[in-house]
Structures are given as structure tokens and as C-alpha cells.
Amino acid sequence: IGGGDGFYALDANEGKELWKVPIKGGSDSSACVMGGVAYFCGNDGALRAVDAKTGQEVWTYRPKRPAPSQSSPAVAYGVVFATLDGLVGIDAKTGKKVWSCKAAKGSGDEWLASMAIIGDTIYYTGNGTWTPLRAINISDAQEKWTGSVGHAGLYNTPAVANDRVYAVCSTGLAAHPIREGQGLKGFGAHPDPDIGVNQFKTNSSPAVWGELLVFGMDRGVVYGYSSLSGESKWTFTTDK
């Protein structure tokens, strides 16, 4: 669990601290655990791999131009993918950079949202003024397509289901077909047109269950939408 002064592991039954990795500036990342190793990012710009049981360092990767990364890494094909000084892939065993995506560099994106990996494709969102939604092919690090989520910051992870990629930002909800030209139609919807964009913020990632898509907003409202058409189904207001 990321904290203000480092990264922690807690006992699941008692909630007691098992180990802590001190990090200057703390960590807003979640860990990806695979093969007994926990991988996570820090606000010092580094990607770390530690023994999941003891917290002992396996390796630490520091980019040439470190910047705080609030996203969480993902592991696939023996590579740890993370958004650091761009979208990079680090060998899970050695900690050496083995992959990078030029399409993701110089885009003005801030690395606040985490990625989703399905098959050989990475789906992720930026936090620039255009808030791009990107699909990157892992095999050749080339961009498959780019879509727009809206003109406001996005801090969550896209969901992939029903041959679509779903993302939520403060201007609304967007769905994009996984593959261009497959005949599916994407859609965009604003959950509440009576509320100004600047007041409509979310750190919630969308969740898809069958034909239902659910996400929350910072103002305490949970929305249910059709994951196929974008039609509003219901809203629920939490106790503030």
C-alpha cells in the first residue's frame, strides 16, 4: 500500500505492518505482485521490485529524467510496464529497460492513470489538455490508435470489455472500439449535463459487469450506464 513516506505491506488478518520501503515523497501506486515479487512506482520517479514477503529490494529502476509517477505498473510477458519518463518496459528479473514507446513521449501527458493490458495491447490514458486514450501494440511498441476522452484531466484506469475500451473523465464517459474498423460504434455521454465541467471530477475507474458499466464521481454520486449503448440506467447518491 502506498503511503506518504513510503510503501507498506500489511498483514491481511490483523492489519499490522510487515515491512516498509521508505520513499522520498511517498507513493500513490498500487503494487502488481507476480512470482513472489511486488512491483510499484514512487513519487521519486523510480520503479521498484521487492520481495513480497520481506520487502527486500530485488532491483530499482531510475529513469534519466525522474518525475513523480502516481500510476501503477502492470506485468506481462516477463516485462514490467510503467509510466515513468514515458511508457517503458523493464525486464522483471533484471530491472533493465527492454522496451519503450516513442509514441507516448513528448505528448504532454502526466502519468497519473494506470494502464490495462489485454492480449498484446496496452490501453492507457493521459492527463493532457486533450486527455488522449491510446492503444499501444506491445510487440513493436507502435500506436494502434488514439481516441479522445475529453478536455479535462483523467486520473483513472480504463476498463476493457465487450470489445470496447471505457474511460471516464470530468467531461463524461467514453467508449472506443478495441479495433478500428470492426463495425462497433463508440459513444460519449455526460453523466449530468446540469453540472459544470470544472465541478465534475472523478478519480474512480470504471467497472464493467456484462452490459452494465458503473463509475463514481467525487461529488458522491455513482452512475450505472449501458456498456453497449451509453444509455443512463440509474444513479445512486452516497451519504456525504
Side-chain angles (χ1 to χ4, degrees):
I1 300 173
D5 59 351
F7 201 91
Y8 295 79
L10 306 180
D11 183 280
N13 293 318
E14 300 181 4
K16 294 182 178 180
E17 179 182 322
L18 298 176
W19 51 258
K20 172 189 172 183
V21 177
I23 302 174
K24 184 178 180 180
S27 173
D28 293 300
S29 174
S30 296
C32 179
V33 181
M34 184 168 289
V37 179
Y39 306 92
F40 52 88
C41 297
N43 288 331
D44 60 350
L47 171 66
R48 291 173 170 81
V50 305
D51 186 288
K53 290 185 177 180
T54 66
Q56 182 177 359
E57 178 182 318
V58 177
W59 51 256
T60 297
Y61 173 79
R62 299 183 186 278
K64 294 181 179 179
R65 297 183 299 275
S69 177
Q70 298 179 27
S71 65
S72 302
V75 181
Y77 308 108
V79 177
V80 186
F81 296 94
T83 49
L84 300 172
D85 56 343
L87 183 57
V88 299
I90 310 300
D91 187 286
K93 292 184 177 180
T94 67
K96 303 295 184 181
K97 185 166 76 171
V98 295
W99 186 96
S100 64
C101 179
K102 293 182 179 180
K105 291 183 178 180
S107 61
D109 295 348
E110 297 176 47
W111 307 118
L112 299 175
S114 303
M115 69 193 78
I117 298 179
I118 304 295
D120 66 344
T121 306
I122 296 174
Y123 302 96
Y124 79 97
T125 53
N127 191 43
T129 55
W130 185 50
T131 313
L133 172 64
R134 284 191 170 94
I136 304 295
N137 190 52
I138 292 177
S139 61
D140 59 9
Q142 295 299 307
E143 188 174 86
K144 288 186 174 182
W145 51 258
T146 300
S148 176
V149 181
H151 293 275
L154 193 149
Y155 306 93
N156 50 59
T157 304
V160 183
N162 303 319
D163 288 327
R164 294 173 174 86
V165 185
Y166 303 92
V168 183
C169 72
S170 57
T171 56
L173 164 68
H176 194 290
I178 287 180
R179 294 176 295 276
E180 296 284 6
Q182 67 181 134
L184 287 175
K185 291 184 178 180
F187 59 80
H190 195 293
D192 195 335
D194 295 329
I195 297 176
V197 170
N198 292 333
Q199 299 175 338
F200 209 83
K201 298 179 181 180
T202 180
N203 292 316
S204 169
S205 298
V208 181
W209 184 60
E211 296 184 7
L212 179 65
L213 184 149
V214 179
F215 62 94
M217 287 291 173
D218 288 1
R219 54 190 290 267
V221 180
V222 181
Y223 295 88
Y225 271 72
S226 167
S227 62
L228 303 181
S229 67
E231 177 187 359
S232 176
K233 295 294 186 181
W234 49 260
T235 62
F236 174 78
T237 302
T238 63
D239 295 330
K240 297 181 181 179

